[in-house]
Amino acid sequence: MVDWMRVGVRRHMLSLPMAIGRRRVSAFADQARSVIGGLSALERRLHRFLVAELTRAGEPLTPDAVAEALDLSREDVVRMLDALGARKALIARNADGAVTWAYPVTVTPTAHHLRFRSGERLYAA
């Protein structure tokens, strides 16, 4: 008997044999690590903060709120958000410029639900 897993590919959910699904997920994780590895120390700090805070807050994060929390200027935060957004695999912002997802989490509803041991619930990006 073959074990199956559901894997999101673009806007579709596919049922794949577990071995193939694991390879697909592993390849995506390798790609993300490669992108994150190319960040400066300050950009990594920002990305880690965004992931943690989106998980905690459960709502989009404005550049002003991020700047205040990290004790950075708004201009520096916006510049780094622009740089992270240009990488297409790390963050996305809404029309107001607030961060709505930071790989691997999002506050935008998706088919991928996460529940943490601490009780927080969120969506996977």
Side-chain angles (χ1 to χ4, degrees), residues 46-47 50-52 54 89-92 99-107 125:
L46 172 60
H47 185 260
L50 294 171
V51 171
L54 284 172
L90 294 179
I91 70 160
V99 177
T100 57
W101 73 266
Y103 178 80
V105 299
T106 180
V107 295

Side-chain angles (χ1 to χ4, degrees), residues 5 7 16-30:
M5 73 182 294
V7 175
L16 298 174
M18 190 66 74
I20 294 172
R22 283 188 181 135
R23 279 193 302 257
R24 171 87 171 105
V25 170
S26 179
F28 185 75
D30 288 345

Side-chain angles (χ1 to χ4, degrees), residues 21-105:
R22 283 188 181 135
R23 279 193 302 257
R24 171 87 171 105
V25 170
S26 179
F28 185 75
D30 288 345
Q31 177 187 8
R33 273 191 294 276
S34 150
V35 170
I36 290 171
L39 301 178
S40 71
L42 192 53
E43 288 170 332
R44 282 193 303 276
R45 177 179 172 223
L46 172 60
H47 185 260
R48 282 192 304 270
F49 171 80
L50 294 171
V51 171
E53 192 62 15
L54 284 172
T55 302
R56 189 195 66 72
E59 62 185 28
L61 304 173
T62 66
D64 291 328
V66 173
E68 183 176 332
L70 295 178
D71 196 28
L72 298 169
S73 72
R74 183 183 196 287
E75 294 75 26
D76 286 342
V77 168
V78 169
R79 180 184 47 76
M80 286 189 296
L81 290 176
D82 288 344
L84 293 177
R87 293 175 183 255
K88 303 285 188 213
L90 294 179
I91 70 160
R93 293 184 280 178
N94 63 19
D96 297 327
V99 177
T100 57
W101 73 266
Y103 178 80
V105 299

